[in-house]
Amino acid sequence: MSRIFSGIQPSGIPTLGNYLGAIRNWVALQQEPDCIWCVVDLHAITAFQDPSVLRQNTREMAAVLMACGIDPDRHILFLQSAVRAHAQLAWIFNCIARLGWLNRMTQFKDKAGKDRENASAGLYVYPNLMAADIMAYHATRVPVGDDQRQHLELANDIAQKFNHDYGIEFFKPIEPLILGPAPRVMSLRDGTKKMSKSDPSDQSRINLNDDADTIALKIRRAKTDPEPLPSEPAGLEGRPEARNLVGIYAALEGTDHAAVLREHGGKGFGPFKESLTDLIVDRLAPIAAETARRLADPGGLDSTLRNGAARAAAIADPIVTEVERVVGFLQS
Ligand code: AQP
């Protein structure tokens, strides 16, 4: 069976988008024998993080993942910065990837915004580090949200060029696993923008640790349009905010847009938002409670992560040492 790898940045409190687009799928994939889950703190510092906030968010992310059902005993859960192989392989990939490839990455354009000259060099080469994360483990299946598809295509370009340049079949193609009915959850303030944990507006997202009152307020304030909900999915065309709320409802209920609209079509947003709030609170409350329980034992949490890092390094170190030998480093 091919190995599964995925990561998440501790760049804030994980959102409903992270949950529906990634974490929930990771939990389902754990029936497979060999999964590696990584809290990617090296990626997080591509935008400045206050050190004490980063430490807090990193523990919180690990606690949330376990609260959602990530199993650090049967699989591996660890912090990216604790395994040096990621940064070592990323440097080699910086020398394989072409500037032209990186220039096409839409996430860089979105995140750098208008002030491109002021973005960190790390943000620009982020996809090379992501390729290293995966290939340091010879992982071939990567569950991600739809927004990461382009980065995985670039990872495959790097793998192919490495194999070609050194005349060796070392890296295998990577397959994105884009799963579930909500591969892209959008902002509550703008239905054309992805919901992000680092969005400056807290009102744009549902955080996995929001309490019931906060969730109710955010959903009540979520942007909508004046029309009632349509009775069929075709009626969501051109209505991104309505489509997003219906999509969230469908994903949490494990159904599709059509079924949600059969039940709620024709209603105004007021009653629909109340039902949606109840559903979100019902699904997230147990996660928030379990996260709090795990955070109350930071020593236990850190020891789980250290153990995960040792097991991850035992896989990655020999692979990266072999890459270094292939490129011609004398001591490898
Ligand atoms: N809105 C989303 N809908 C569906 N999936 C999403 N993911 C993120 N946002 C959504 C998926 O979550 C996984 C982890 O993402 P990440 O933390 O590594 O980076 P990201 O994609 O940049 O996530 P954020 O929340 O937007 O973080 P910031 O704000 O720090 O950039 C990925 O699989 C991603 O697809």
Side-chain angles (χ1 to χ4, degrees), residues 226-229 264-273:
E227 301 298 317
L229 279 171
H264 296 276
K267 287 185 199 163
F269 277 99
F272 178 66
K273 282 180 166 180

Side-chain angles (χ1 to χ4, degrees), residues 9 11 17-18 111 144-145 147-148 183 185 194-198:
Q9 299 182 71
S11 44
N18 298 129
K111 288 199 171 177
V144 283
D147 55 308
Q148 294 294 333
V185 177
K194 180 177 92 134
M195 182 182 284
S196 270
K197 57 179 121 58
S198 64

